């Protein structure tokens, strides 16, 4: 099983998913990311899914779970790079990813995180 790397940039963690996600790799990512948020005191997490072509209901729910988990650990999450086909699939599966912020690309995701964090005391 391949693991998804978690990169640190200041107080933001960047996760760029470049592999086909399987259930085990998503569960490992959830655990790795929780550990990294705590270890680094991260205030923001960006999950880049530009390379993800297909999602199923499990992966969609796990993205929402990861965002919720990060929020509980005091880190805001933004999912970036969602392809139209992925967005359509998530909606068709009834997974609106409520509470998960999204941005079109990494640059806009960083700007959104900056805006969120500047508005939070």
């Amino acid at each position: 099983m391949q693991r998804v790397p978690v990169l640190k940039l200041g107080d933001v963690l960047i996760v760029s998913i470049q592999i086909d996600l399987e259930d085990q790799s998503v569960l490992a990512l959830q655990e790795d990311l929780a550990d990294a948020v705590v270890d680094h005191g991260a205030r923001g997490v960006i999950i880049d899914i530009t390379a993800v072509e297909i999602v199923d209901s499990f992966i969609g729910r796990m993205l929402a779970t990861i965002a919720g988990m990060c929020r509980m650990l005091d880190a805001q999450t933004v999912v970036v790079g969602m392809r139209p086909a992925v967005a359509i699939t998530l909606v068709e599966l009834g997974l609106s990813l409520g509470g998960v912020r999204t941005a079109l690309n990494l640059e806009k995701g960083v700007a959104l995180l900056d805006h969120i964090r500047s508005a939070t005391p």
Side-chain angles (χ1 to χ4, degrees):
M1 170 187 67
Q2 290 182 313
R3 294 183 95 82
V4 177
V6 178
L7 309 173
K8 182 180 182 296
L9 180 65
D11 63 352
V12 174
L13 299 176
I14 300 174
V15 178
S16 183
I17 300 172
Q18 301 293 320
I19 61 171
D20 288 334
L21 291 175
E22 298 173 2
D23 292 357
Q24 286 303 109
S25 58
V26 174
L27 291 171
L29 172 60
Q30 179 179 330
E31 188 173 316
D32 293 346
L33 193 50
D35 289 342
V37 167
V38 172
D39 292 346
H40 299 297
R43 298 294 312 245
V45 175
I46 296 176
I47 302 174
D48 184 357
I49 62 170
T50 303
V52 175
E53 295 181 15
I54 299 172
V55 295
D56 59 16
S57 60
F58 177 75
I59 292 170
R61 284 192 311 273
M62 289 310 295
L63 285 173
T65 299
I66 288 170
M69 173 198 65
C70 289
R71 233 183 350 268
M72 297 293 286
L73 296 172
D74 197 28
Q76 298 298 318
T77 302
V78 178
V79 175
V80 302
M82 187 177 302
R83 295 173 182 236
V86 170
I88 290 167
T89 300
L90 289 172
V91 170
E92 287 175 347
L93 291 171
L95 300 169
S96 63
L97 300 185
V100 178
R101 292 179 173 91
T102 61
L104 290 177
N105 56 42
L106 185 58
E107 183 179 356
K108 289 183 179 189
V110 170
L112 178 57
L113 261 184
D114 286 344
H115 175 74
I116 293 166
R117 292 184 308 161
S118 68
T120 305

